[in-house]
Amino acid sequence: MAPTTVELDDITDDRYGGKAAGLARLRGLGLSVPSGFVIVDASANEVAVDASAKEVTVDASATDAGNAALERFSQMRAAGMTPVAVRSSAVGEDGVDQSFAGQYDTVLGVDSADDFAAAVQTCIASVHSRRAESYGGGEGATMHVVVQTMVDACAAGVVFTADPTSGRRDLMVIDAVAGLGDSLVDGTASPDHIVLDAQGDRVVESIGERAVLSAEQIAEVRSGALRAEHHWGRPMDLEWAIDRSGKLWWLQARPITTLPGDLNEMDSPLAGADHVYTRCNIGEMMPGAFCPLTAAVSGYAIDYAMQMTQVVARAQDRYATPWLQVGYFYGHMFLDMTEGTGLSSGILGNSLEQFSMSICGRVIDELTPKPPQPFRRKLGNTIRLSTYALSVGPKIRRLDGQIAGFRIPSTDDAQLLLRALESGVEQYCDVTLTHVRSSSRAAVAANILESVLIRRAIADGRGEDDGRAEAMRLMAGAADVESALMLGELDSVVRAIVADATAAEEFLSATPEQAVSALQVADGACGTALRHFLNRHGHRGYRELCMRDPSWAEDPAGLGAMMQVMVRAALDPEEAPRPSTESASSTSASIRALAGLAQRGARGRELTKSKMALMAHRLKRGYRRLGEVLAASGRLPDADLVFFFDRAELARVVGVDDIGDLVFAASQRREALAYQETLEFDDVSVGRPTPRVVTAEHDLDGQEIVGRPAGRGVVEGVVRVARTVADARSVQPGEILVAPVTDVGWTPYFSVIAALVTDIGSSVSHGAVVAREYGLPCVVNTLAATHVLRTGDHVRVDGDRGLVTRLGLDP
């Protein structure tokens, strides 16, 4: 005969509900759990009391289970183990897939037979409540009931071994209230809120007038929670209480059901525990979080190109394993600066400080220089690298033919498609290497020019900022810079629309997607101009090296939103504030020659980046086609999921073996990407990069933000903070755009704004180059402008000195 009550210590599985199983497992771990028992299938048994009796007795009309439950309750009462808590433990509750948190009833402080019977009936009835049936989506579950001794709590709360809000598994969250925990659950008390990092240090601490927990109690809660997590093998949500004697009791354990996939599952290997990683530089080319396929394609190509450059300069012997120069953590790309120091120690005229400045815009104290090489070896390395960079011209001229030669076969054979794509990735590596060589040529010229002018400024009794400002002035004016040409052609489309009043009205009255789609097939000057623009630049866009994100030609809604901003600005008769500039000092022939070399370098860098984006565009179309073939054949549930495998996994996906495990993992990664996109990092990390724990907005210490000058001029205006290119769709003519970083996808807004301020960047960043071409004051590498400034702030941007001064709110 099935038992009618079961002791917690006798439970070995979840047949009596998730809550009972969790409590039994906690007891098995040796953690303190209040004594108690379970009423088996309480919904099928009646607990009744003889109301005329003076002692605790049972009603003859009650079932055997009900009698047994009352007898067990009476034993607890006689032993001084009451009052008790009567709690639901329904089948499916506190499970891996659903928690049913708060859907069923709990009754606390039960100390009499009448109250006990009523409490059991309350739990039973709650299985049929509207909220429970709505949450569960079906019939009521089998209701078992847990009965436990109440803890006379002086403090209670919950602990999550992963942060359910951010999805981060390296954080632990503790909420604590004084007294019983029911005030925390029902929201009537404001808890102390503590967030611990992986080392147990407090990274967030929001407490009331008097802390609920001591440091020792926090450590004890953390220790028990980690034991539970290790035992379950997954992040856990646990309830606990501390009694008047200071003893910690555990009241509930269940898996966190709302977490996405592990945000670190696809992390690249750490090149070294003390290596210095940065988001600078690479964050301009690849802003935000990326799907695993982008890491396996674009990240791989960038790492390959940088390693091969190191090989040329004899900073490493040969191409090693992937992920030596580039890291992929939490879905974000990083540069390994420690590996890059091989160049600064092995060539002439490039110190560790200069290397730091060229990448991060500041000296990185955490970097340790590698042993210097002998002068003759340095000289040889310098000649090799310089020749390699300066001789890139023929490779650039061959890029068009090289990229045109890559074609995706028109086949439904997934294996043939993947083989073609793998060949394309190797070609992408070569195109990327050409871009890195071109970028090296640009950076060398720009760094030499800046260094010379800074020394001259100091010799003349002026400051370093004056030298940098002069370098910015001389680097402006490069003809035929690809991104500026692209914006000029988009401006031509806008001017054609504005010149036709009817066309302008129709364009602005439609949705962004409808506006561009209609214009693409329209006759006349407007349609012709747009088609010309897309034929030449349709492969460009925001995050253009992402295999998943669409290009402008494939994203009429995104392109239309930008164009509508530009059209409205062109129709607005009010001019944007014009920057004031100081007169330039005279320059020598040698300085002008250096400036010309820097301008040509910037032009080549922008051109090869466009070619790199074109190759990425062809690959992303190929992978999209692969996804469609796999979805049509039933190998994948949808085509988009193809972007959440790495290249090695795709070899299995196109095969014939069962891939249920891979499909589940990829689905989890896709869910995790939305969480990864919200993460922010310091500009420099030692060891594995860890996201910032973002709490409230930072306040501006004083009224000045200091960055690096990147575009001359001084202008005052209203701030528009845009953390993504989608946020920038709200920008108004004459506003000052403040962004984490900009890539080519932001370029159309440069014809509307009055100045640009970014968190990261350098004088040769995309934003800096294009800002100079448009005469915009530009300050880069502020590190925190998007955090300390708010939309509506009135600021002065001094592009000559790299200063942003807050003047107040928009008057």
Side-chain angles (χ1 to χ4, degrees), residues 389-409:
L390 296 175
S391 64
V392 72
K395 286 285 292 182
I396 295 175
R397 290 189 288 274
R398 290 195 294 268
L399 282 177
D400 283 333
Q402 182 181 1
I403 295 170
F406 171 69
R407 298 183 182 276
I408 297 297

Side-chain angles (χ1 to χ4, degrees), residues 508-655:
L508 293 177
S509 62
T511 66
E513 182 174 5
Q514 291 170 342
V516 167
S517 297
L519 201 60
Q520 278 184 278
V521 297
D523 296 326
C526 300
T528 300
L530 178 60
R531 288 189 292 272
H532 174 77
F533 170 78
L534 290 176
N535 284 338
R536 180 165 178 178
H537 305 291
H539 64 282
R540 307 301 300 267
Y542 179 53
R543 288 161 45 98
E544 56 196 355
L545 300 187
C546 177
M547 293 295 106
R548 188 183 184 220
D549 287 2
S551 63
W552 281 333
E554 301 162 329
D555 184 23
L559 179 60
M562 289 188 294
M563 289 178 63
Q564 286 181 336
V565 170
M566 296 172 72
V567 169
R568 290 190 182 97
L571 291 170
D572 189 346
E574 182 178 343
E575 292 188 359
R578 296 186 177 275
S580 60
T581 59
E582 300 172 6
S583 58
S585 59
S586 59
T587 55
S588 65
S590 60
I591 295 296
R592 289 197 300 272
L594 271 176
L597 186 60
Q599 290 175 349
R600 290 191 295 275
R603 184 164 57 246
R605 174 180 181 267
E606 289 293 308
L607 175 62
T608 54
K609 183 175 181 182
S610 177
K611 302 306 180 185
M612 185 181 172
L614 178 58
M615 188 65 206
H617 173 71
R618 288 174 174 259
L619 282 170
K620 74 173 69 176
R621 292 177 66 183
Y623 282 113
R624 193 173 299 124
R625 172 63 182 156
L626 178 63
E628 291 167 355
V629 168
L630 291 168
S633 67
R635 292 290 285 175
L636 295 182
D638 60 84
D640 179 68
L641 202 63
V642 75
F643 299 109
F644 293 89
F645 301 96
D646 64 22
R647 288 164 55 207
E649 290 172 334
L650 282 178
R652 274 189 62 193
V653 175
V654 301

